[in-house]
Amino acid sequence: MIPELGHYALVLALFVALVQSGVPLAGAATGNAAWMGVARPAAVAQMLLVLVAYGALTWAHVVSDFSVMNVVQNSHSAKPMLYKVSGVWGNHEGSMMLWIVMLTVFGAAVAVFGRNLPPTLKARVLAVQGLVGIGFLLFILTTSNPFIRVVPAPLDGNDLNPLLQDPGLAFHPPFLYAGYVGFSIAFSFAVAALIEGRVDPAWARWVRPWTLAAWSTLTAGIALGSWWAYYELGWGGWWYWDPVENASFMPWLAGTALLHSAIVVEKRDALKTWTILLAIITFSLSLMGTFLVRSGILTSVHAFAVDPARGVFILVLLGIATGGSLLLYSLRAPSLKAGGLFAPISREGSLVLNNLLLSTATATVFIGTLYPLFLDVLKLGKVSVGAPFFNATFVPVAIPMVIAMVVGPFLAWKRGDLPGALTRLWSAGVAVVVCVAIAAYITNGGGPLLALVGIALAAWAFFGSLAEFAERIRLFRVPLKDSWTRAAHLPRSAWGMTIAHACLGISILGMTGTSAWQTEVIQAMKPGETAQLAAYSVRFDSVAEVQGANFRAEEGVFTVTKDGALIATLKPQRRSYPVTRMTTTESAIHTTVFSDVYIALGDPTQNGTAWIVRLYHHPLVPWIWLGALGMMAGGLVSLSDRRFRVGAPERRRAAKPTLQPAE
């Protein structure tokens, strides 16, 4: 009965979405306040109905209701409870439910918290959000119904993909989807602005917090996905330029450009049409990522290999959303009033350069990801595009982007002084030279030259951001008490910007260290043998069978020492899941502040006396995720700025009239 309740709630949500998308639009066009007012309760009602449906599907998984096909195909009675819950979104139908949950939650958030939005703009934003909801609700109900019954019900299920039975996959998709879907709000604001024919600084102020929320959660989602792939897949890497990884990276790049472009609209009333276009492109790239993992054209650990007909449906949705919005853009954008003028050397100019480089980086990843797929689909041959291509094309664009990111905040609005800005960055320049010298000394000049470039870039981003913050509070130029007072009164958006930019430098440092100076040893080892890994000795002590909740495993025991001192005892596993008949690698990692010792136990040799063991030493690799989480934290700190709480300048109470003395 509960699955039927969930199905019925989805159908009702579709009808509510139809009302939400039609009535407020008509009300905004005719000036009917009552019709426009329908948008708010409709958005909330749609969210509640979708949550009921999602709760019904979760209940079916938790109680192992094997009369529901989705539960049969993706669960098992012996599966741990955490993975019964996360298994709800560990499949195509459930992940689409999570998508629509995020969509309606963001829509309801605008309805509830957007009190200061102009009524016509709010009605149109929620109507566009309702239109997007119609498309995905139709998709779920017609092609991906998660509540289909099985008669007769089997005694047990087929279990979840073992690769997804991991805490990282329990948290990675919700953050990723919140980022993907959060950009739908920026898209809805852009389309609503095109319909109204007005984009102004107030519009930018309203759209920025939603874009910032989506960007922050997408940052967390990408970082968690990278971390999961690093420790779960046993290959020892943190980024593979996999097409599905790229599908999440592209909207992140475009969303970063959108954030910075919206600042120019808010501060200088410029770059209006460009910001609108970025909002459309960012959400379109999010939709493209949804298409890639559900079209059947990819073979990836991240992809859902499903009926290609479902991919065609999403491709139609992508075409309607992107094509329709771009058509509206072509018709209405030329009529938007141009903003203020500015010199090329200015704060606005640096943000424009930032946007151009981010857009170029996005286009580079887009071409490298989709070109081989297009050739394959059109039967024109197979082309392999891997890490060498992306490293050779993306990195040269990223270097000037990071350099400009640091210099830009030192420039004045409208017209800046580049020599003066560089002069004020002298402390960051000194820090860069010192860091490069230290890196060269520690490594004795080992590693590629680009490694030192990476160290310089990381130091420039980190210390340049701190220098900009010091400039804001006039550190060492006024008494420390005054600097502290200035810091306490800075807007939280300024704090957030400093944290995010500085933490980007931390991530770059981690990427550089592990890429340039990692050590890899792959060899067959017998119990009792020792291998050298960088400065460590790794002894293979033993291997034994262990029994898990729904798997059996071979567990190796390795002792890691350095200069005779015990560092760690690591126990990697090679797990076998009898229901799915799949084998996974569970690596064991010893993490310090400065490096990881990473061990993965592979297959036994033919005679069964030795095992293939992968040993890695990754310098600075933890800093990749530390920096990424710091970037997300910077976004959340900016989001807490009181100016963004209502999306518009704060209302002021009318001052009480004072009695004037009679003359």
Side-chain angles (χ1 to χ4, degrees):
M1 185 63 187
I2 290 182
E4 281 72 28
L5 176 64
H7 189 194
Y8 183 59
L10 276 183
V11 174
L12 284 180
L14 174 60
F15 282 103
V16 172
L18 287 168
V19 173
Q20 178 183 333
S21 61
V23 175
L25 272 182
T30 60
N32 189 317
W35 289 8
M36 287 188 288
V38 169
R40 185 176 187 272
V44 175
Q46 186 187 172
M47 178 194 69
L48 293 176
L49 288 167
V50 170
L51 287 176
V52 168
Y54 188 82
L57 183 60
T58 302
W59 179 89
H61 275 261
V62 168
V63 302
S64 297
D65 183 356
F66 295 117
S67 68
V68 177
M69 183 179 294
N70 184 265
V71 180
V72 173
Q73 294 176 341
N74 302 284
S75 190
H76 191 273
S77 57
K79 189 171 66 172
M81 181 57 68
L82 173 62
Y83 306 133
K84 287 185 178 181
V85 175
S86 63
V88 176
W89 58 72
N91 59 88
H92 167 72
E93 293 83 2
S95 67
M96 290 311 305
M97 283 293 299
L98 181 62
W99 176 283
I100 198 69
V101 164
M102 295 296 181
L103 186 72
T104 56
V105 166
F106 271 95
V110 172
V112 173
F113 298 110
R115 300 184 186 92
N116 278 30
L117 288 171
T120 55
L121 179 63
K122 183 176 180 179
R124 287 175 170 134
V125 168
L126 293 177
V128 175
Q129 197 75 0
L131 286 170
V132 177
I134 289 173
F136 280 96
L137 284 167
L138 280 173
F139 175 70
I140 291 175
L141 290 169
T142 59
T143 73
S144 310
N145 185 358
F147 299 108
I148 296 175
R149 290 285 193 175
V150 177
V151 181
L155 295 177
D156 219 324
N158 301 334
D159 208 356
L160 181 68
N161 184 338
L163 289 174
L164 304 182
Q165 296 187 42
D166 181 84
L169 262 293
F171 303 106
H172 157 58
F175 280 100
L176 195 69
Y177 277 37
Y180 270 157
V181 183
F183 286 124
S184 67
I185 295 295
F187 172 82
S188 297
F189 267 96
V191 173
L194 289 174
I195 294 173
E196 289 201 351
R198 186 181 68 181
V199 178
D200 54 22
W203 176 89
R205 177 71 64 84
W206 289 318
V207 79
R208 274 184 65 198
W210 303 106
T211 305
L212 194 56
W215 181 88
S216 299
T217 52
L218 185 57
T219 301
I222 293 173
L224 286 170
S226 169
W227 177 59
W228 165 79
Y230 170 71
Y231 73 78
E232 173 66 20
L233 300 183
W235 62 294
W238 54 273
W239 191 261
Y240 191 65
W241 292 105
D242 178 277
V244 181
E245 290 176 333
N246 296 346
S248 63
F249 191 41
M250 285 186 284
W252 186 87
L253 290 170
T256 305
L258 173 61
L259 268 179
H260 292 83
S261 181
I263 294 174
V264 181
V265 178
E266 180 185 348
K267 301 293 185 182
R268 294 284 300 132
D269 198 22
L271 300 186
K272 298 177 183 179
T273 57
W274 173 245
T275 303
I276 292 288
L277 182 61
L278 278 176
I280 294 172
I281 290 174
T282 301
F283 183 57
S284 297
L285 290 172
S286 296
L287 291 177
M288 189 193 71
T290 304
F291 164 72
L292 286 177
V293 299
R294 289 169 176 83
S295 61
I297 65 175
L298 291 181
T299 301
S300 168
V301 296
H302 308 80
F304 297 104
V306 298
D307 182 358
R310 293 173 174 175
V312 172
F313 195 111
I314 296 181
L315 189 61
V316 171
L317 286 180
L318 175 61
I320 293 173
T322 304
S325 56
L326 290 178
L327 176 61
L328 181 62
Y329 176 82
S330 67
L331 295 174
R332 302 302 296 269
S335 64
L336 294 177
K337 182 181 177 182
L341 300 177
F342 54 87
I345 304 299
S346 62
R347 180 86 59 93
E348 301 95 321
S350 70
L351 290 171
V352 170
L353 177 61
N354 165 284
N355 267 236
L356 290 175
L357 293 170
L358 281 167
S359 300
T360 303
T362 305
T364 297
V365 179
F366 182 88
I367 293 171
T369 302
L370 293 188
Y371 180 66
L373 301 178
F374 284 141
L375 290 182
D376 191 21
V377 169
L378 297 175
K379 310 291 186 186
L380 297 177
K382 292 185 178 292
V383 175
S384 177
V385 176
F389 167 81
F390 291 105
N391 292 336
T393 56
F394 182 84
V395 173
V397 178
I399 291 174
M401 183 170 62
V402 175
I403 294 173
M405 176 194 80
V406 174
V407 177
F410 284 87
L411 298 173
W413 293 103
K414 197 172 182 178
R415 183 181 296 276
D417 176 16
L418 182 58
L422 294 176
T423 300
R424 286 181 288 171
L425 276 165
W426 69 268
S427 58
V430 171
V432 168
V433 173
V434 171
C435 289
V436 170
I438 292 174
Y441 175 77
I442 292 176
T443 62
N444 293 320
L449 178 61
L450 277 178
L452 296 181
V453 175
I455 296 295
L457 201 65
W460 178 253
F462 183 81
F463 290 105
S465 300
L466 297 185
E468 191 273 337
F469 188 80
E471 183 77 12
R472 283 176 178 268
I473 64 175
R474 301 179 66 83
L475 187 65
F476 304 130
R477 290 193 290 168
V478 297
L480 286 177
K481 181 179 179 181
D482 292 346
S483 293
W484 175 257
T485 302
R486 286 174 176 270
H489 288 87
L490 277 180
R492 290 185 185 174
S493 58
W495 279 89
M497 182 191 74
T498 299
I499 294 170
H501 286 183
C503 286
L504 175 60
I506 293 175
S507 285
I508 293 172
L509 183 61
M511 296 172 193
T512 301
T514 189
S515 299
W517 295 297
Q518 81 165 13
T519 303
E520 177 183 15
V521 176
I522 302 176
Q523 67 182 57
M525 295 183 68
K526 298 178 181 179
E529 292 185 344
T530 299
Q532 288 300 126
L533 179 69
Y536 298 91
S537 294
V538 181
R539 188 181 70 242
F540 185 10
D541 294 328
S542 63
V543 63
E545 287 197 3
V546 296
Q547 181 66 46
N550 60 337
F551 64 86
R552 294 188 300 271
E554 294 176 321
E555 182 178 83
V557 179
F558 292 81
T559 299
V560 182
T561 60
K562 183 177 181 180
D563 298 329
L566 176 65
I567 300 298
T569 299
L570 301 181
K571 298 180 179 181
Q573 293 182 349
R574 182 174 174 269
R575 293 182 178 178
S576 176
Y577 290 78
V579 176
T580 59
R581 298 181 180 178
M582 290 181 62
T583 301
T584 65
T585 298
E586 299 293 323
S587 59
I589 303 172
H590 174 67
T591 299
T592 67
V593 176
F594 297 105
S595 66
D596 276 2
V597 174
Y598 181 112
I599 304 177
L601 184 67
D603 296 330
T605 57
Q606 289 185 349
N607 57 18
T609 61
W611 280 258
I612 304 299
V613 180
R614 304 176 71 96
L615 307 170
Y616 298 93
H617 177 247
H618 290 293
L620 302 178
V621 72
W623 294 33
I624 297 175
W625 301 293
L626 177 65
L629 292 178
M631 290 166 65
M632 180 197 70
L636 295 179
V637 169
S638 294
L639 192 61
S640 69
D641 194 310
R642 65 182 180 84
R643 296 175 301 170
F644 297 150
R645 290 176 189 170
V646 293
E650 190 179 40
R651 288 176 174 173
R652 297 182 183 275
R653 295 180 180 179
K656 294 182 179 181
T658 56
L659 296 176
Q660 299 292 333
E663 295 183 2

